[in-house]
Amino acid sequence: MDFKKYNHLKEEKKISDYWIKKGCFKPRKGNNKKTFSIVIPPPNVTGRLHMGHALNNSLQDVLVRFNRMMGKETLWQPGTDHAGIATQAVVEKNLENKGIKKNDLGREKFIKKVWEWKEESGGIILDQLKKLGCSCDWSKTRFTMDKDLSKAVIKVFVDLYNKKLIYKDKKLVNWDTKLQTAISDLEVVQKDVQSQLYYIDYQIEGSENKITIATTRPETMMGDTAVAVNPKDERYISLVGKNVTIPIVNKNIKIIADHYADPEQGSGAVKITPAHDFNDYEVGKRNKLELINIFEKSGKINNNGIKEFIGLDRFEARKLLLKKLKDAGNLVKVENIKNKVPYGDRSNSIIEPLLTKQWFVDAKKLSQKPIKIVNKGNTTFFPNNWSKTFFQWMNNIEPWCISRQIWWGHRIPAWYDESGNVFVSETEKEAQILAKKKNKNKKFKLKQETDVLDTWFSSALWPFATLGWPKKTKELSKFYPTSVLVTGFDIIFFWVARMLMMGNYFNKKTPFHKVYVHALVRDEKGQKMSKSKGNVIDPLELIKEYGADSLRFTLISMASPGRDVKLSKNRVTGNRNFITKIWSANNFLELNKCNLDKQINLNSIKLPINQWIFNEFIRTQNLVSKNIEIFRFDEAAKHVYQFVWHSYCDWYLEFLKPIFNSKNKIDVKEAKTFCSFIMANILKILHPFIPFFTESVWAKNKYKDIFMDDLISSSWPNYKIQKKFNKSQNDINDVIELISNIRSTKAELKIVPKLFCDISVPRKSVKLKKLIEANLKLIKQVGRINSVIDTKINDKNSIDILVLKETLSLRFNEDINLGSQKERILQKIETINKQISVLNNKLKNKAYVMNAPKEIVQNDKNLIEELTIEDVKLRSIVSSIN
């Protein structure tokens, strides 16, 4: 027999390789005609496993393994995203380290280098997900730049262009001056920084008066086209319509009235630069203001700036301009403030709102169907409050800028002739045909668009393009729409909403029926993990130290809806102890030669503890199933934990010992067979949570030989509560209550747990008397009882306690000073009553009950109930101390 400590490092690698080699993750028809499909949010090909990935994929794997065991044909579609900007930046840096510049290589050779890097390093994140235990069908791994996926992307672009849902226009975008490309809002990080607010006087034309404006970006004065004041701001009403002169620039602009100007902010008067601020851009549109772009794509002042500023970097221009304003007497004051400044997440440079020609998707039109779909409940969000966030964004959606000025990505399928005419088609050959018609057979030369598509454009097609679309494949008809999407809240707009747009437009079906939105993983203090804080917890280190199962179970058990996961190593250690507990329990079974029979005849089960544990297991099985189905992963984990640790390990195995030691061979055989039967089913309901360990024990116990299947491919338990076992179930639960009360009384009185005692049941405690008589052997051994005395016990070493609302007398077989404990217990009662009072006052507050999360309110109610029971027990002890 092998009772060695469970070696997670050895077992996890061995089992993972076995599952993949045997094809255990591939869809296969089970006893259920239904299908279950889910697509992995494709991690960046540059990515490395972080705690957000670990949570997201652990939750997905619970759903996948559960539904697979439910007999559904299950597909978990894996893959990676080409991550345009991020990947290009990594490869550029690698080349620069070798003294090679991207532009020296040229586009084609550079892209070849990216592909070489991808083949060498692009699979690291997927290998790390395998270490976590993700049961994706790895044979179907896709990449957003695969040939067939690229064809799908090009087809979508061309179709949307032909339907006038894609167009090219000059608009304000987030511009990264370092990378020299437009970037999405998701790639912009709003940082809180210390800034200066500059108060500058603008001379009112034809008057000696001035109006003071406040700005954090004085260099953009060169592009000002108005000064705005609030129409309700009485200080400035008389000035609306008048001209002011921009100092140093010496250009006249109008004072306009617009609600954007906030009388409470700064001076209440703001300069409007429509070409370099998103809010100003909207003000400019409302008031038909001129747009003057003063920046090159590098962030330097262009020819629209003052002559001596042309060619200066924007921040150098700021310094020079402030000096000139100060010298001219126009700089009134400088105020230190804290404000948000947009930074590029890759370049860490300040983002510049810039007017450029870009390609856009008419997101407003594409959003209409998804809004209806979510309104009708065809796609539902869990927790439901995220649907409100979804509607807020979708109802105010802006055109989606889809072009990026980089080389790595899907090149936009548009070609231009010398006259600037654009021809959009799936191939250059088709573009040539279109151009020939346009140019009426005259000679022409075509040049392809140099921009590539936003990474989110291709990932928006992920649920159906990975299944073979636009071809009508078997996979597409079988697994689309997918069953559920598991995602973080931070990409609801950027990915979830866009998948809903594309899926509904091109397939006329919503891409997923349900969206489960999980929270963030933070450190144990609730702070966001970041390298600068030094509080980042590396999942790979935890996997190495504690095992993937310990990490998975920790994250899953803490995945409460709407609440961030506060992760600590202590939590992971605790769940490793849980796994060790099961390992020890299994060793106990092995030591006692407990072997499993494939068929269990429930009619032959006579032992009360077996009847009890069976119904307790079914109750747990049902609770776990129900909670997984409604995405209450934390509750599912809690129920399985409590059953395994407490019901099975702490009580059932303890109850088995006197039976194993008895001479009744029939009872011994039943006990040994049934405890193995329950262990096999424990492994089944634990498998979605801790797959490696459960598969390892399944193999160790040779259950595969009995069930003719690996645990991963076995069926989820589907037993029914046995009503005929209800009496035993209730009785054993009462026995547990009795023994627990004796143990807790010992603990309360500082009496060593191993000390035996006598018990006496008063005549009026009828229910208790019957319970003890029916389970005497069990109670005596497990409860450490010497004897049951018929007469009332009443001496200095005796005490009365309440059990099942009836009185039970305990007499300890050693001299103990009960009187010395009385004062301490009274103080404890006082503390408990204060706690109850505080909680009751909280629950009397209607605002708290209405606004606090339901689980927290329920936890308060449960705590009051627990404290009240404790209070009654302690009062009973005190009242019986002489």
Side-chain angles (χ1 to χ4, degrees):
M1 289 182 200
D2 181 15
F3 296 134
K4 289 178 186 174
K5 188 180 175 184
Y6 174 68
N7 185 337
H8 66 265
L9 291 171
K10 179 185 168 186
E11 290 297 310
E12 289 177 0
K13 176 75 171 73
K14 182 178 78 177
I15 290 165
S16 179
D17 291 345
Y18 172 78
W19 282 332
I20 293 168
K21 187 178 179 181
K22 199 180 172 189
C24 293
F25 303 157
K26 292 183 178 182
R28 71 171 190 176
K29 288 185 179 176
N31 53 22
N32 190 326
K33 290 181 180 178
K34 293 180 181 177
T35 60
F36 179 86
S37 59
I38 188 167
V39 292
I40 199 170
N44 286 354
V45 72
T46 57
R48 298 295 179 266
L49 191 74
H50 58 62
M51 210 53 83
H53 291 133
L55 171 64
N56 180 277
N57 288 282
S58 295
L59 298 179
Q60 288 182 80
D61 200 47
V62 169
L63 293 171
V64 169
R65 289 178 186 270
F66 170 71
N67 281 283
R68 188 185 287 125
M69 292 176 81
M70 289 293 284
K72 297 177 187 177
E73 191 173 358
T74 302
L75 171 68
W76 187 5
Q77 175 63 56
T80 50
D81 192 290
H82 67 278
I85 292 173
T87 305
Q88 178 158 320
V90 167
V91 177
E92 270 192 76
K93 192 173 181 180
N94 289 347
L95 289 171
E96 282 172 8
N97 290 339
K98 295 173 185 176
I100 304 168
K101 289 188 177 178
K102 177 192 75 171
N103 291 336
D104 293 341
L105 275 179
R107 186 171 193 139
E108 284 185 25
K109 286 183 180 178
F110 176 76
I111 289 171
K112 190 180 175 185
K113 290 286 183 188
V114 180
W115 277 107
E116 286 172 7
W117 175 88
K118 188 262 175 188
E119 293 308 312
E120 187 182 322
S121 305
I124 290 174
I125 182 72
L126 298 182
D127 289 337
Q128 291 170 341
L129 289 172
K130 289 172 189 173
K131 285 183 180 180
L132 188 66
C134 297
S135 59
C136 307
D137 183 357
W138 299 109
S139 67
K140 286 186 166 65
T141 300
R142 309 310 304 271
F143 179 53
T144 48
M145 289 282 284
D146 284 345
K147 280 186 180 179
D148 52 346
L149 265 71
S150 294
K151 282 181 181 177
V153 170
I154 299 307
K155 177 176 171 50
V156 165
F157 184 95
V158 173
D159 287 0
L160 291 176
Y161 178 82
N162 290 336
K163 294 285 185 182
K164 297 188 170 22
L165 292 168
I166 282 182
Y167 58 93
K168 196 169 188 181
D169 197 3
K170 193 173 188 179
K171 289 189 180 185
L172 206 60
V173 296
N174 295 310
W175 185 263
D176 191 311
T177 58
K178 189 174 180 182
L179 300 176
Q180 295 206 19
T181 179
I183 62 172
S184 71
D185 289 340
L186 185 64
E187 292 154 327
V188 176
V189 180
Q190 297 290 342
K191 293 185 182 181
D192 286 314
V193 297
Q194 288 294 334
S195 297
Q196 280 77 43
L197 186 63
Y198 303 98
Y199 289 78
I200 301 165
D201 277 346
Y202 282 36
Q203 186 74 46
I204 299 169
E205 189 182 28
S207 165
E208 291 185 4
N209 294 328
K210 296 171 182 175
I211 187 168
T212 305
I213 62 95
T215 180
T216 56
R217 303 188 63 210
E219 67 277 10
T220 60
M221 287 167 57
M222 292 178 256
D224 285 359
T225 52
V227 167
V229 296
N230 193 288
K232 292 182 179 178
D233 194 334
E234 293 179 2
R235 293 173 296 173
Y236 302 123
I237 291 293
S238 61
L239 299 179
V240 173
K242 292 187 176 181
N243 286 337
V244 292
T245 303
I246 308 171
I248 313 301
V249 180
N250 293 321
K251 177 187 169 185
N252 286 350
I253 54 174
K254 268 199 168 28
I255 297 174
I256 60 169
D258 194 280
H259 287 283
Y260 169 64
D262 183 352
E264 303 298 319
Q265 291 289 320
S267 65
V270 289
K271 61 189 223 50
I272 302 299
T273 320
H276 296 294
D277 183 278
F278 289 104
N279 291 315
D280 290 7
Y281 182 72
E282 295 303 319
V283 175
K285 279 203 294 185
R286 285 195 294 271
N287 294 277
K288 296 178 181 176
L289 300 177
E290 185 185 1
L291 282 78
I292 302 170
N293 176 26
I294 63 161
F295 292 124
E296 300 283 359
K297 290 177 180 178
S298 60
K300 292 180 178 179
I301 305 295
N302 67 15
N303 290 334
N304 290 329
I306 303 168
K307 191 174 181 181
E308 64 182 297
F309 285 78
I310 295 171
L312 283 182
D313 176 77
R314 52 190 166 155
F315 301 116
E316 289 173 7
R318 179 183 298 179
K319 287 178 187 174
L320 180 58
L321 189 63
L322 287 170
K323 184 180 182 301
K324 286 185 172 289
L325 287 168
K326 189 177 180 182
D327 292 345
N330 291 93
L331 185 60
V332 180
K333 66 173 179 174
V334 180
E335 198 174 281
N336 289 320
I337 61 164
K338 199 170 187 178
N339 69 332
K340 289 190 181 296
V341 175
Y343 282 78
D345 68 345
R346 296 291 166 188
S347 64
N348 200 35
S349 64
I350 294 175
I351 294 305
E352 188 62 56
L354 197 69
L355 267 176
T356 58
K357 273 195 173 182
Q358 302 286 347
W359 291 89
F360 293 89
V361 169
D362 188 343
K364 195 74 178 172
K365 284 183 182 175
L366 285 179
S367 68
Q368 289 167 10
K369 184 76 181 288
I371 289 170
K372 287 177 186 174
I373 290 288
V374 176
N375 256 324
K376 285 179 182 177
N378 293 349
T379 291
T380 49
F381 284 84
F382 298 85
N384 182 253
N385 61 294
W386 288 110
S387 59
K388 294 175 188 173
T389 311
F390 169 81
F391 288 130
Q392 282 170 2
W393 190 72
M394 291 293 265
N395 289 327
N396 297 287
I397 201 164
E398 295 290 329
W400 171 17
C401 174
I402 55 169
S403 45
R404 299 290 179 267
Q405 290 66 50
I406 58 174
W407 287 351
W408 173 244
H410 298 101
R411 196 166 175 180
I412 291 174
W415 285 263
Y416 302 90
D417 63 17
E418 292 97 327
S419 304
N421 297 309
V422 63
F423 307 98
V424 172
S425 58
E426 291 185 40
T427 64
E428 187 172 1
K429 190 177 179 181
E430 289 172 14
Q432 291 278 359
I433 295 167
L434 293 172
K436 198 172 183 181
K437 287 180 185 175
K438 179 76 176 178
N439 288 280
K440 296 176 182 176
N441 296 324
K442 291 177 187 174
K443 282 189 177 181
F444 61 88
K445 191 178 180 182
L446 293 184
K447 189 178 179 183
Q448 189 177 353
E449 171 67 79
T450 56
D451 290 357
V452 300
L453 287 164
D454 175 16
T455 295
W456 295 102
F457 188 89
S458 51
S459 55
L461 320 182
W462 189 249
F464 55 90
T466 52
L467 297 173
W469 186 93
K471 292 177 184 174
K472 293 180 180 178
T473 63
K474 286 181 183 177
E475 287 83 3
L476 188 65
S477 61
K478 186 180 286 186
F479 295 116
Y480 187 90
T482 61
S483 310
V484 61
L485 178 78
V486 178
T487 184
F489 66 85
D490 51 342
I491 53 174
I492 288 176
F493 316 127
F494 305 101
W495 190 45
V496 180
R498 285 159 182 174
M499 282 190 288
L500 284 165
M501 289 180 198
M502 296 301 193
N504 280 293
Y505 186 84
F506 286 98
N507 289 283
K508 312 304 177 193
K509 290 178 186 175
T510 190
F512 23 76
H513 297 298
K514 296 171 183 176
V515 181
Y516 174 74
V517 183
H518 61 76
L520 288 172
V521 183
R522 297 181 180 271
D523 72 7
E524 59 188 310
K525 294 174 183 173
Q527 294 186 335
K528 191 173 180 179
M529 292 186 195
S530 69
K531 288 179 183 177
S532 60
K533 288 178 185 171
N535 64 345
V536 174
I537 304 173
D538 184 349
L540 294 169
E541 286 180 12
L542 292 182
I543 288 171
K544 188 177 178 182
E545 187 175 353
Y546 302 100
D549 289 324
S550 302
L551 174 61
R552 283 171 62 113
F553 198 83
T554 303
L555 293 170
I556 294 161
S557 65
M558 298 177 77
S560 182
R563 295 174 70 183
D564 287 336
V565 174
K566 294 180 183 177
L567 184 67
S568 70
K569 279 193 176 183
N570 287 340
R571 288 271 195 171
V572 185
T573 304
N575 287 311
R576 182 189 59 186
N577 295 342
F578 175 52
I579 290 167
T580 303
K581 181 104 170 172
I582 306 164
W583 181 255
S584 301
N586 193 68
N587 285 342
F588 172 78
L589 267 57
E590 237 183 297
L591 186 67
N592 286 282
K593 296 184 173 64
C594 301
N595 298 316
L596 177 66
D597 285 345
K598 186 175 182 181
Q599 294 297 329
I600 291 287
N601 181 2
L602 292 176
N603 292 322
S604 68
I605 302 304
K606 305 300 180 189
L607 289 170
I609 60 163
N610 283 343
Q611 294 180 349
W612 162 74
I613 198 69
F614 180 81
N615 271 6
E616 287 294 314
F617 172 78
I618 304 313
R619 187 182 71 85
T620 304
Q621 163 204 290
N622 294 339
L623 283 167
V624 172
S625 300
K626 176 192 166 188
N627 281 292
I628 289 175
E629 284 165 355
I630 61 171
F631 309 113
R632 285 307 306 263
F633 301 101
D634 56 329
E635 287 293 308
K638 180 185 83 176
H639 289 300
V640 74
Y641 180 95
Q642 287 176 343
F643 171 78
V644 174
W645 187 294
H646 301 295
S647 301
Y648 188 82
C649 295
D650 283 352
W651 290 107
Y652 180 60
L653 296 187
E654 197 66 30
F655 289 152
L656 284 177
K657 289 174 185 176
I659 296 171
F660 285 173
N661 294 327
S662 78
K663 292 177 182 178
N664 187 327
K665 289 182 180 179
I666 294 172
D667 285 358
V668 171
K669 188 182 180 199
E670 181 191 315
K672 288 187 174 183
T673 304
F674 206 72
C675 67
S676 292
F677 167 75
I678 296 296
M679 174 57 81
N681 283 287
I682 281 172
L683 295 176
K684 286 187 175 188
I685 63 170
L686 271 172
H687 182 71
F689 304 91
I690 48 175
F692 291 116
F693 174 78
T694 50
E695 190 75 83
S696 176
V697 176
W698 184 268
K700 183 174 186 275
N701 292 354
K702 296 185 169 54
Y703 291 162
K704 180 185 174 183
D705 299 340
I706 298 166
F707 289 100
M708 305 304 292
D709 227 334
D710 297 306
L711 178 56
I712 188 175
S713 306
S714 67
S715 297
W716 187 259
N718 191 28
Y719 301 104
K720 306 296 179 197
I721 288 279
Q722 296 292 305
K723 288 184 181 177
K724 60 189 175 186
F725 293 173
N726 283 355
K727 185 181 182 306
S728 293
Q729 186 183 7
N730 294 333
D731 283 354
I732 298 299
N733 280 330
D734 287 347
V735 168
I736 290 170
E737 174 74 9
L738 188 155
I739 295 170
S740 296
N741 270 312
I742 293 172
R743 288 176 176 176
S744 65
T745 301
K746 285 181 182 178
E748 197 60 57
L749 296 171
K750 309 288 185 188
I751 297 169
V752 290
K754 66 180 181 180
L755 187 66
F756 277 76
C757 66
D758 299 323
I759 60 172
S760 169
V761 188
R763 285 181 187 175
K764 61 181 180 180
S765 301
V766 180
K767 183 182 175 185
L768 207 50
K769 198 173 185 69
K770 282 184 181 177
L771 179 73
I772 292 168
E773 285 171 357
N775 299 278
L776 188 58
K777 260 189 174 180
L778 211 57
I779 291 169
K780 284 182 81 172
Q781 178 147 344
V782 181
R784 303 187 82 78
I785 306 298
N786 271 328
S787 57
V788 180
I789 301 169
D790 291 331
T791 57
K792 173 83 171 87
I793 301 170
N794 189 12
D795 62 33
K796 65 174 185 175
N797 290 331
S798 69
I799 195 164
D800 290 345
I801 63 170
L802 272 182
V803 178
L804 304 170
K805 298 181 181 178
E806 294 185 347
T807 303
L808 179 72
S809 296
L810 309 180
R811 182 175 66 195
F812 299 100
N813 295 345
E814 288 181 16
D815 282 341
I816 51 174
N817 188 355
L818 293 174
S820 65
Q821 305 286 352
K822 190 171 183 178
E823 189 58 39
R824 183 181 57 78
I825 296 171
L826 284 169
Q827 285 176 359
K828 192 168 182 180
I829 289 170
E830 188 182 344
T831 302
I832 286 171
N833 278 277
K834 282 179 181 175
Q835 285 179 270
I836 292 171
S837 177
V838 168
L839 289 166
N840 276 326
N841 287 334
K842 269 173 83 176
L843 294 173
K844 283 176 187 174
N845 184 334
K846 289 180 182 178
Y848 169 74
V849 175
M850 288 285 290
N851 298 319
K854 287 180 182 177
E855 309 92 69
I856 292 176
V857 174
Q858 190 57 50
N859 286 344
D860 287 346
K861 290 177 181 177
N862 294 344
L863 187 54
I864 289 173
E865 196 176 325
E866 289 167 19
L867 290 169
T868 304
I869 292 168
E870 181 72 6
D871 179 60
V872 172
K873 284 181 183 177
L874 293 175
R875 287 179 188 277
S876 171
I877 292 171
V878 167
S879 66
S880 68
I881 295 175
N882 296 321

